Amino acid sequence: MLTSELRPGGRETAPTRLDDDDLELLLLIRHFERNLLDLFSAGKLNGTTHTCIGQEYVPVALARLLDDRDYVFSNHRGHGHYLSRFRDPAGLLAEIMGRDGAVCHGVGGSQHIFRERFLSTGVQGESLPVAVGVALHLKRHEPGALAAVFVGDGTWGEGSVYEALNMARLWQVPLLVVVEHNEIAQSTPTTLQMAGTIAARAAAFGVEHRRVESADVNAIRGLVAPAVERVRQANRPLVLEFATTRIGPHSKGDDTRTEEELRSVRARDWYLAYQKVFPDQFARLDTRQREAIERITRDVDARTPSRWEGSCPGQSES
Amino acid sequence: MLTSELRPGGRETAPTRLDDDDLELLLLIRHFERNLLDLFSAGKLNGTTHTCIGQEYVPVALARLLDDRDYVFSNHRGHGHYLSRFRDPAGLLAEIMGRDGAVCHGVGGSQHIFRERFLSTGVQGESLPVAVGVALHLKRHEPGALAAVFVGDGTWGEGSVYEALNMARLWQVPLLVVVEHNEIAQSTPTTLQMAGTIAARAAAFGVEHRRVESADVNAIRGLVAPAVERVRQANRPLVLEFATTRIGPHSKGDDTRTEEELRSVRARDWYLAYQKVFPDQFARLDTRQREAIERITRDVDARTPSRWEGSCPGQSES
Amino acid sequence: MPRSERIVENLNAALHRLFAEDELVYLIGEDLLDPYGGAFKVAKGLSSKYPDRVLTTPLSESGFVGVANGLALCGNKVVTEIMFGDFALLSFDQLCNFAAKSVTMYGSRLPLRLVVRCPVGGHRGYGPTHSQSVQKHFIGVPNLWLYEMTPLHDNGAVFAEMLAREEPCVFFEDKTLYGQRRWVDGDDDVFRFDFLGERGQYGRATPEDVDRPDCVVIATGGTAPLALEAARRLFLESEIACHVLVPYRLYPFDIDPISSLLERADHIVVVEESVAGGTWGAEVAQHIYGRLWDRLNDRIRLVHSAPSIIPTAPHLERQVLVQSESVYATVREAIRD
Amino acid sequence: MPRSERIVENLNAALHRLFAEDELVYLIGEDLLDPYGGAFKVAKGLSSKYPDRVLTTPLSESGFVGVANGLALCGNKVVTEIMFGDFALLSFDQLCNFAAKSVTMYGSRLPLRLVVRCPVGGHRGYGPTHSQSVQKHFIGVPNLWLYEMTPLHDNGAVFAEMLAREEPCVFFEDKTLYGQRRWVDGDDDVFRFDFLGERGQYGRATPEDVDRPDCVVIATGGTAPLALEAARRLFLESEIACHVLVPYRLYPFDIDPISSLLERADHIVVVEESVAGGTWGAEVAQHIYGRLWDRLNDRIRLVHSAPSIIPTAPHLERQVLVQSESVYATVREAIRD
Ligand SMILES: Cc1ncc(C[n+]2csc(CCOP(=O)(O)OP(=O)(O)O)c2C)c(N)n1
Ligand SMILES: Cc1ncc(C[n+]2csc(CCOP(=O)(O)OP(=O)(O)O)c2C)c(N)n1
Ligand SMILES: [Mg+2]
Ligand SMILES: [Mg+2]
């Protein structure tokens, strides 16, 4: 069977205990992004930013299943992806604030990040075929490594997703498509933008699919690890779909969902669950991360503006 | 069940008797296109042309299931589609030869034909979303009419196919996608360009699918009529896949298949089957059509070059 | 400048009027439904009033422009919203190879009433894939008309013209204009506003009573405020008199309404936000050189953004994008040379 | 003209050499496998020799350019074949918003070695969606370089340069050139062939011993044969001496190697097959006006196809497309005016 639902540890079950490192990473991302929204409200940021509040556990769960040889393609909602890989809140915040030490010198901003084998862009769906090319290269030259792409449910409207899946399966490349299915795209509920299911769309191309209902980091790892390993070992593309919830706005202050919807969405927050079940560990780490982010913010805010070598580069005429 | 295989009257069964009109239409298309290949060899045509030799029965079977209110979107391999709708070999030949009386004044040529509600273009996949727009209009303003799009199997590589299916299903529009699955795209066998199946690709979007193995015009009609009717009445998009065979080259003289493949493909020609089973009817109509095409060719060839009002139009400045 | 409606209000009202007057009008694009009303709120209120004719789509820029083409093929009047003009590149095939070609490639005229709206331009910190001025890429497709929103023209009239054309149009909307107020009701402290051409094709700002300008500055709608600011400084500081001309149609470029003015000008500057290379400005220059070769006193000078992607951080973005200072400096340089 | 290899052979040989010399080279596109070897046979023999590095794809112009981008991202050297340049419009986003942007938008230089090959142009009766000259649409994207095959330059050298650039390049190939023979080995009966620029950027055809040309004709690779034919007639009929210049790089336009020649010319004509509007020719003119304003005797004249889609029937196609006669007439007109 190519598709299956992975239910154990579903959203309603109490979470299992995380080691400090995992919980800390979750909280780092949460406080990093809450802080971004605050900075926006305070007029300290411009442009746009998309927070993954509520979805942080997806990249955190996957972080230990990925390694440095893997390429990761992130999208507009990428802070969690980046922080899970590099634990570099200062570099990312500097990027978003355009300060010295920015990972991309302030050029890319929230949506366009590149570091080692991590790359994000703001054009939905564009990364999938690119990741197929990368996966093909890895299969030939670095067997065992994979290319992972994070996409939202709404991005499955784009034709390039299907062009990519087709080639990925035809050429049997180690492609891991991580779908953060939060039932919404900007302001549009999934019911208005997606016919059928992601499971069936993977099956359409003979691509394996797993749907994960759980938000329990430990449980998720246990459930998906074998499938991810198969991507590496057997060069079998995999679509890994997470049923998740976007608790924050699409970008800033643009949430048009009803209070009722928002209440139901907030009730499913992992933050509350861990807080409730593991109060001591939670309180200790929560404070530590909150303070760390405060410190980093003061530090980054005080830095000089980022400098960019190529700020007026021109095409080097020759 | 959304998908099913329609087998009765499969390719190996002897065909049932056609009325003269159907058989004549089949033979009209065949002789029309054989003649095109001859004209090419004789250097009387330039550019390119794609014959549907072997596939003629698909549009012929559908012709009586479509009516004047329906839009038909054809593709590069469109002579059969056009002739089945309009029975206008002279207008089409004039178009291809660039002579007076050409349906599009010689501007569009073999691949770009427009007449009433029939429209073809040479960019694969482009017509599908357009047909969704048309189907949406029909649903609202001419209920009972549908938009039909002919595409090949290779065209399922294009992302626009999936963008279109998604919207067609979301909006429940009367879209009929006719797939002429001849197991090849230009020179590339389907195994090298398509992962999974068309059935599963339709299912991925919750779109109904039927696969037809039969080449028997009567049988096909009986099998698919109810599904086509449902498209009209219930505004349910449908993918109707025909397992078929391209007997001729992709365009002219560019067939790179092996002799063995070609032999097996030719053995499945409806032409031979009807000839064998209904020799008298066949001989009578075959001669008639062959002669008709010869006559038309002489006539069209003798005409003056087509004239195009807008031959140097410019954007009417204003 | 007198208080007037914001440009986004004018645009929104134009769409409301279109919908009210004509049942054939559709709007199609992403996130259009109320209360969201589109990423830049241009669609506000439409889906509530006309739920059947506002189609919110999946993320499918190529697909929904195709759907728009299909609706137009059936005789409808279709307005399409691409959320960011950068993504119009995803619909290029539908626009160029279907919409524009269909008008003539079947040997007789096939009318298509279609307007594809593209928010463009930077200054908002949206970064390299959400800030481009993509006008240049669409220039020179037969039967594809390019328009741009301006602070002077009423969008209702412009939309009426585009749809009456019965050929596909792309309408560029500089994002910085949405929140600005229209230049209407005659004058501000320095400039008089009027229109040139039978249909007012060119909005114009002139210092009062200057008929023979030192410089004519032709600017796209999006860069018009920058050009005006530069012109104001030049006049107040040094009595350098610029006429700022702002066309609502970019392509085909229509030189007739302004050619006698251009003849009288000592210098001509063309301003656009795009980086150099195959731009609208070069197209405009080409037309002027062709028509007025014998009468030109000076070469035509183009003002562009720096040849670079558009960075996200505001201090970097500022270094790259055209600013009022670039216009100012170019006019000064022209006069000094 | 001396007997030489056909241009398609030269191009095919160039690819064979690339593959032989470097294991990082890939070719990706539709219908590339032997015995077919691509729609225009440019890939002949490659898949047999290098089955792992020739990727024949589904019909997915956007997708496979994306795959090419991914391979390039990993350090490979990737040549992509779009079957007809018209379909490159389907890959516009991958080319402009991914490939070109990635080189700089991450704040430090990301090298990408990518060449997208696009057969372009008409004269073959392929009709409106298979005959366009789409060069214009790709001009002016920072870090996207445009090249075009010529009858003078060795494709091996051009490909080496493009890949060494480490930025994405589009290489246009006029279909009418494939079957023609290269202009090599010095001279034909009227013209001498040489190269201008350090790297021979401009191929040149000159009537023997004419240093101060009546007219410089700058032509794209695809229109070069038409320009040469016109130049021949002008010389033989009336001793009008044209220098025909053919650059292998279209954009950015490099004026340096030819600017002193242009200064000496009485007239300048630029030839391209595209319809007018935002074209390469306008870009070239813009550069020349900017640099040589004080030295020009005449305006620069552009030769284009008629502003129309490209019809299929040969007698109609001929009326629309640039012909040698259009070049001839334009030079005559320039000299007469
Ligand atoms: C090609 C493209 N179209 C539209 C957008 C604008 N946009 C940014 S995010 C977004 C919604 C994406 O939804 P989804 O894929 O579900 O991801 P989520 O935001 O829910 O994480 C849209 C429409 C874009 N960035 N790229
Ligand atoms: C967008 C696009 N890409 C490539 C082509 C070139 N081309 C024309 S037909 C064809 C093969 C189509 O195969 P299929 O869809 O199976 O139809 P068939 O020819 O078998 O009827 C190709 C690649 C095209 N016309 N349009
Ligand atoms: Mg989502
Ligand atoms: Mg096929």
Side-chain angles (χ1 to χ4, degrees):
Chain A
M1 211 188 66
L2 281 176
T3 177
S4 66
E5 296 220 347
L6 302 176
R7 292 198 159 277
R11 308 298 297 271
E12 281 69 50
T13 335
T16 58
R17 186 181 184 88
L18 295 183
D19 62 31
D20 277 10
D21 192 58
D22 273 335
L23 187 54
E24 212 155 30
L25 182 52
L26 278 171
L27 291 164
L28 163 64
I29 302 172
R30 174 64 55 101
H31 289 299
F32 182 89
E33 293 200 315
R34 278 210 190 137
N35 180 54
L36 285 186
L37 293 177
D38 291 346
L39 288 169
F40 257 110
S41 306
K44 292 209 148 200
L45 293 183
N46 82 327
T48 189
T49 201
H50 308 88
T51 61
C52 69
I53 295 173
Q55 307 182 174
E56 299 91 338
Y57 67 89
V58 177
V60 170
L62 291 175
R64 292 196 193 166
L65 303 179
L66 299 178
D67 72 39
D68 289 352
R69 299 168 314 145
D70 298 334
Y71 277 78
V72 171
F73 289 84
S74 172
N75 60 3
H76 62 298
R77 206 172 295 292
H79 308 145
H81 310 150
Y82 178 82
L83 294 173
S84 300
R85 189 165 176 105
F86 299 111
R87 309 232 179 174
D88 172 31
L92 183 58
L93 186 61
E95 182 62 35
I96 295 168
M97 298 186 81
R99 294 298 200 284
D100 193 38
V103 53
C104 296
H105 304 277
V107 180
S110 172
Q111 295 194 86
H112 314 89
I113 304 281
F114 181 73
R115 179 171 167 185
E116 294 156 43
R117 295 184 169 199
F118 179 99
L119 184 146
S120 71
T121 185
V123 185
Q124 304 303 330
E126 196 185 64
S127 296
L128 263 125
V130 178
V132 172
V134 167
L136 184 65
H137 175 88
L138 294 175
K139 173 181 178 176
R140 293 178 174 187
H141 299 286
E142 303 184 41
L146 59 75
V149 199
F150 286 90
V151 294
D153 47 301
T155 300
W156 289 73
E158 297 289 350
S160 58
V161 173
Y162 307 95
E163 299 190 1
L165 287 179
N166 192 33
M167 290 185 279
R169 181 60 175 76
L170 280 168
W171 303 338
Q172 295 278 50
V173 298
L175 175 75
L176 173 64
V177 181
V178 181
V179 188
E180 296 173 303
H181 190 157
N182 57 13
E183 301 286 349
I184 194 165
Q186 196 142 340
S187 74
T188 305
T190 299
T191 47
L192 292 184
Q193 43 94 342
M194 184 187 290
T197 64
I198 289 175
R201 292 182 185 197
F205 298 86
V207 169
E208 254 189 287
H209 167 267
R210 294 284 180 283
R211 179 170 158 103
V212 180
E213 301 283 345
S214 173
D216 181 320
V217 169
N218 294 320
I220 292 171
R221 284 204 192 115
L223 288 165
V224 308
V228 172
E229 197 50 30
R230 250 191 328 274
V231 177
R232 299 186 187 287
Q233 299 313 327
N235 293 309
R236 290 179 63 165
L238 170 68
V239 173
L240 199 52
E241 176 189 4
F242 290 87
T244 188
T245 35
R246 189 193 88 197
I247 292 176
H250 168 65
S251 47
K252 2 125 219 178
D254 61 350
D255 209 325
T256 51
R257 290 175 290 187
T258 63
E259 250 320 303
E260 193 186 317
E261 284 175 283
L262 286 173
R263 249 197 314 277
S264 113
V265 149
R266 286 191 202 113
R268 293 156 72 193
D269 193 353
W270 58 263
Y271 189 87
L272 302 176
Y274 286 111
Q275 187 170 40
K276 186 166 149 215
V277 183
F278 308 104
D280 299 343
Q281 182 198 26
F282 186 91
R284 174 168 51 87
L285 300 177
D286 192 51
T287 308
R288 196 195 289 170
Q289 286 306 320
R290 190 192 309 269
E291 288 172 1
I293 293 292
E294 277 167 16
R295 215 166 37 241
I296 288 164
T297 305
R298 277 193 306 274
D299 168 30
V300 169
D301 194 24
R303 297 184 193 172
T304 54
S306 65
R307 282 150 51 113
W308 178 34
E309 303 285 299
S311 64
C312 286
Q315 220 145 349
S316 54
E317 267 295 339
S318 79
Chain B
M1 211 187 68
L2 279 177
T3 177
S4 65
E5 295 221 346
L6 303 176
R7 290 199 161 277
R11 308 300 297 272
E12 280 72 48
T13 335
T16 58
R17 184 180 185 88
L18 295 183
D19 63 32
D20 276 12
D21 193 56
D22 273 336
L23 187 53
E24 211 155 30
L25 181 52
L26 278 171
L27 291 165
L28 163 64
I29 303 172
R30 174 64 54 101
H31 289 300
F32 183 89
E33 293 201 315
R34 279 211 188 137
N35 180 53
L36 284 186
L37 293 176
D38 290 347
L39 289 169
F40 256 110
S41 307
K44 292 208 147 200
L45 293 183
N46 84 325
T48 189
T49 201
H50 308 87
T51 61
C52 69
I53 295 174
Q55 307 181 178
E56 299 92 337
Y57 67 89
V58 177
V60 171
L62 291 175
R64 291 194 194 167
L65 303 179
L66 299 178
D67 72 40
D68 289 352
R69 297 168 317 146
D70 297 334
Y71 276 78
V72 171
F73 290 84
S74 172
N75 60 2
H76 62 298
R77 205 173 296 290
H79 308 145
H81 310 151
Y82 178 82
L83 294 173
S84 301
R85 190 165 175 104
F86 298 111
R87 312 233 177 171
D88 172 32
L92 183 58
L93 185 61
E95 182 62 36
I96 295 169
M97 299 185 81
R99 295 299 201 283
D100 193 39
V103 53
C104 295
H105 303 278
V107 178
S110 172
Q111 295 194 83
H112 314 90
I113 304 282
F114 181 74
R115 178 170 167 185
E116 293 157 43
R117 295 186 168 198
F118 179 99
L119 184 146
S120 71
T121 186
V123 185
Q124 305 301 331
E126 195 186 65
S127 296
L128 263 124
V130 178
V132 172
V134 167
L136 185 65
H137 175 87
L138 293 175
K139 173 181 177 175
R140 292 177 175 187
H141 298 287
E142 303 184 39
L146 59 75
V149 199
F150 286 90
V151 293
D153 48 302
T155 300
W156 289 73
E158 297 288 351
S160 59
V161 173
Y162 307 96
E163 299 191 0
L165 286 179
N166 193 32
M167 290 186 277
R169 181 59 174 78
L170 281 168
W171 302 339
Q172 295 279 48
V173 297
L175 175 74
L176 173 63
V177 181
V178 180
V179 189
E180 296 174 302
H181 191 157
N182 58 13
E183 300 286 347
I184 194 164
Q186 197 143 341
S187 74
T188 305
T190 299
T191 47
L192 291 184
Q193 43 93 343
M194 183 185 292
T197 63
I198 288 174
R201 293 183 184 195
F205 298 85
V207 169
E208 253 189 287
H209 168 266
R210 295 284 180 283
R211 178 170 158 103
V212 180
E213 301 283 344
S214 173
D216 181 320
V217 169
N218 294 320
I220 292 171
R221 279 200 197 121
L223 289 165
V224 308
V228 172
E229 197 51 29
R230 244 183 344 265
V231 177
R232 298 185 187 287
Q233 299 312 328
N235 293 310
R236 291 180 63 166
L238 170 68
V239 173
L240 198 52
E241 176 189 5
F242 289 88
T244 187
T245 34
R246 190 193 89 197
I247 291 177
H250 169 65
S251 46
K252 3 126 215 176
D254 61 350
D255 208 325
T256 51
R257 290 176 289 188
T258 62
E259 249 321 304
E260 193 187 316
E261 285 175 282
L262 286 174
R263 248 197 316 275
S264 114
V265 148
R266 286 190 203 115
R268 292 157 71 194
D269 193 354
W270 57 263
Y271 189 88
L272 303 176
Y274 285 111
Q275 186 172 40
K276 187 166 149 215
V277 183
F278 307 105
D280 298 341
Q281 184 200 22
F282 187 91
R284 176 169 49 88
L285 300 177
D286 193 52
T287 308
R288 197 198 286 170
Q289 286 306 319
R290 189 192 309 270
E291 288 172 1
I293 294 293
E294 276 167 17
R295 214 166 38 241
I296 288 164
T297 305
R298 276 193 307 273
D299 167 31
V300 170
D301 194 23
R303 295 185 193 172
T304 54
S306 66
R307 283 148 51 112
W308 178 34
E309 302 286 299
S311 63
C312 286
Q315 222 144 350
S316 53
E317 268 295 339
S318 78
Chain C
M1 206 171 303
R3 207 80 184 148
S4 60
E5 67 187 337
R6 291 192 198 281
I7 292 171
V8 68
E9 291 159 5
N10 177 267
L11 179 56
N12 177 258
L15 293 178
H16 272 280
R17 213 153 49 240
L18 275 182
F19 269 82
E21 284 169 4
D22 193 334
E23 298 218 327
L24 296 176
V25 173
Y26 279 84
L27 179 68
I28 176 166
E30 293 160 8
D31 293 292
L32 296 181
L33 299 191
D34 289 330
Y36 202 76
F40 296 101
K41 312 307 168 200
V42 174
K44 268 259 180 273
L46 289 169
S47 69
S48 305
K49 273 201 188 155
Y50 311 99
D52 281 357
R53 296 192 277 134
V54 176
L55 299 170
T56 205
T57 69
L59 280 82
S60 309
E61 285 79 6
S62 170
F64 71 70
V65 173
V67 171
N69 284 335
L71 286 166
L73 198 61
C74 297
N76 297 293
K77 301 177 178 176
V78 192
V79 180
T80 304
E81 173 171 311
I82 307 274
M83 192 183 286
F84 286 84
D86 313 65
F87 312 149
L89 303 184
L90 288 157
S91 341
F92 212 120
D93 175 68
Q94 283 287 350
L95 259 170
C96 169
N97 285 335
F98 188 91
K101 295 244 170 339
S102 292
V103 177
T104 57
M105 83 168 177
Y106 297 110
S108 46
R109 188 177 160 76
L110 179 59
L112 282 181
R113 294 176 294 186
L114 176 75
V115 176
V116 178
R117 295 180 34 235
C118 295
V120 293
H123 297 285
R124 304 268 302 238
Y126 289 146
T129 61
H130 288 60
S131 307
Q132 295 167 81
S133 291
V134 293
Q135 292 91 328
K136 60 163 69 166
H137 300 301
F138 296 94
I139 299 176
V141 178
N143 307 105
L144 185 67
W145 301 73
L146 310 184
Y147 287 76
E148 183 161 327
M149 188 165 74
T150 86
L152 289 131
H153 296 94
D154 174 47
N155 287 298
V158 176
F159 271 76
E161 174 175 323
M162 288 191 287
L163 291 170
R165 202 162 277 302
E166 308 198 326
E167 300 192 8
C169 300
V170 186
F171 185 68
F172 299 99
E173 302 167 6
D174 194 292
K175 301 175 199 101
T176 61
L177 287 185
Y178 289 132
Q180 295 187 33
R181 294 187 186 277
R182 286 183 64 206
W183 306 352
V184 287
D185 303 327
D187 322 341
D188 72 358
D189 47 337
V190 175
F191 289 97
R192 196 165 47 85
F193 300 120
D194 64 357
F195 293 92
L196 300 180
E198 260 173 62
R199 295 185 318 287
Q201 290 98 305
Y202 287 80
R204 175 169 65 165
T206 44
E208 312 275 351
D209 304 321
V210 175
D211 181 57
R212 198 174 182 295
D214 299 304
C215 186
V216 167
V217 179
I218 308 177
T220 58
T223 53
L226 310 178
L228 189 71
E229 193 186 321
R232 188 184 309 274
R233 259 183 79 199
L234 288 159
F235 189 73
L236 296 179
E237 287 176 5
S238 321
E239 301 225 355
I240 294 172
C242 296
H243 283 210
V244 177
L245 298 180
V246 187
Y248 65 72
R249 193 177 84 201
L250 298 183
Y251 182 83
F253 179 70
D254 182 6
I255 197 173
D256 291 337
I258 58 170
S259 91
S260 73
L261 172 61
L262 293 172
E263 278 179 37
R264 298 195 303 273
D266 287 332
H267 305 283
I268 300 172
V269 168
V270 188
V271 187
E272 61 192 328
E273 187 170 305
S274 163
V275 303
T279 67
W280 175 74
E283 177 69 14
V284 168
Q286 174 58 26
H287 274 265
I288 300 176
Y289 284 122
R291 176 80 77 94
L292 302 179
W293 172 252
D294 299 327
R295 324 252 168 90
L296 292 175
N297 300 314
D298 185 16
R299 67 186 176 89
I300 299 159
R301 288 155 203 265
L302 308 189
V303 180
H304 296 121
S305 294
S308 162
I309 58 96
I310 300 165
T312 307
H315 64 286
L316 299 176
E317 193 186 29
R318 208 175 300 124
Q319 289 169 34
V320 163
L321 292 181
V322 163
Q323 307 291 340
S324 171
E325 290 75 38
S326 345
V327 184
Y328 176 91
T330 305
V331 175
R332 281 234 172 258
E333 183 191 293
I335 289 173
R336 192 176 50 238
D337 274 3
Chain D
M1 206 173 306
R3 207 81 182 149
S4 61
E5 68 189 335
R6 291 191 197 280
I7 292 171
V8 68
E9 292 160 3
N10 177 267
L11 179 56
N12 175 259
L15 293 177
H16 272 278
R17 211 152 51 240
L18 275 181
F19 270 80
E21 284 168 6
D22 193 335
E23 297 218 328
L24 295 176
V25 174
Y26 278 85
L27 180 68
I28 177 166
E30 293 159 8
D31 294 292
L32 296 181
L33 300 191
D34 289 329
Y36 202 76
F40 296 101
K41 313 303 167 201
V42 173
K44 267 259 181 275
L46 289 169
S47 69
S48 304
K49 273 201 187 153
Y50 311 99
D52 281 356
R53 296 192 277 132
V54 176
L55 298 169
T56 205
T57 70
L59 279 83
S60 309
E61 285 79 5
S62 170
F64 72 68
V65 172
V67 171
N69 284 336
L71 286 167
L73 198 62
C74 297
N76 298 293
K77 301 177 179 176
V78 191
V79 181
T80 304
E81 173 172 312
I82 308 272
M83 192 184 286
F84 285 84
D86 313 66
F87 312 150
L89 303 184
L90 288 157
S91 340
F92 211 120
D93 175 68
Q94 284 287 348
L95 259 169
C96 170
N97 285 335
F98 188 91
K101 297 248 169 335
S102 292
V103 177
T104 58
M105 82 168 177
Y106 297 111
S108 47
R109 189 177 160 76
L110 180 60
L112 282 182
R113 294 175 294 187
L114 177 74
V115 177
V116 178
R117 297 179 34 235
C118 295
V120 293
H123 297 286
R124 303 266 302 236
Y126 289 146
T129 61
H130 288 59
S131 307
Q132 294 168 83
S133 291
V134 293
Q135 292 92 327
K136 60 163 71 166
H137 300 301
F138 296 94
I139 299 176
V141 178
N143 305 106
L144 185 67
W145 302 73
L146 310 184
Y147 287 76
E148 183 161 327
M149 187 166 74
T150 87
L152 289 130
H153 296 94
D154 173 48
N155 287 298
V158 176
F159 270 75
E161 173 174 323
M162 289 190 287
L163 291 169
R165 203 161 276 302
E166 307 197 327
E167 301 191 9
C169 300
V170 186
F171 184 69
F172 299 100
E173 302 166 6
D174 194 292
K175 298 173 201 106
T176 60
L177 287 186
Y178 288 132
Q180 296 186 31
R181 295 187 185 277
R182 286 184 64 207
W183 306 351
V184 288
D185 304 326
D187 322 342
D188 72 359
D189 47 336
V190 176
F191 288 97
R192 196 164 48 84
F193 300 119
D194 63 359
F195 293 92
L196 300 180
E198 260 173 61
R199 297 185 316 289
Q201 291 97 306
Y202 287 81
R204 176 169 66 165
T206 44
E208 313 274 352
D209 306 320
V210 176
D211 182 56
R212 198 175 182 295
D214 299 302
C215 187
V216 167
V217 179
I218 309 177
T220 57
T223 53
L226 309 178
L228 189 71
E229 193 186 320
R232 187 185 308 274
R233 257 183 79 197
L234 288 160
F235 189 73
L236 296 179
E237 286 176 5
S238 321
E239 301 224 354
I240 294 172
C242 297
H243 283 210
V244 177
L245 298 181
V246 188
Y248 65 74
R249 194 178 85 201
L250 297 183
Y251 183 82
F253 179 69
D254 182 6
I255 197 174
D256 292 336
I258 58 170
S259 93
S260 73
L261 173 60
L262 291 172
E263 278 180 36
R264 297 195 304 275
D266 288 331
H267 305 283
I268 300 172
V269 169
V270 188
V271 187
E272 61 193 327
E273 187 169 305
S274 163
V275 303
T279 67
W280 174 74
E283 177 69 12
V284 169
Q286 174 57 25
H287 275 266
I288 299 174
Y289 284 121
R291 177 79 77 94
L292 301 179
W293 173 250
D294 298 328
R295 323 252 169 90
L296 291 176
N297 300 314
D298 186 16
R299 67 187 176 89
I300 298 159
R301 289 155 203 263
L302 308 188
V303 180
H304 296 122
S305 294
S308 161
I309 57 96
I310 301 166
T312 306
H315 64 286
L316 300 176
E317 194 185 30
R318 206 174 302 124
Q319 289 170 34
V320 163
L321 293 180
V322 163
Q323 306 291 338
S324 170
E325 291 75 39
S326 343
V327 184
Y328 176 90
T330 305
V331 176
R332 281 232 172 258
E333 183 191 293
I335 288 173
R336 192 176 49 240
D337 273 4

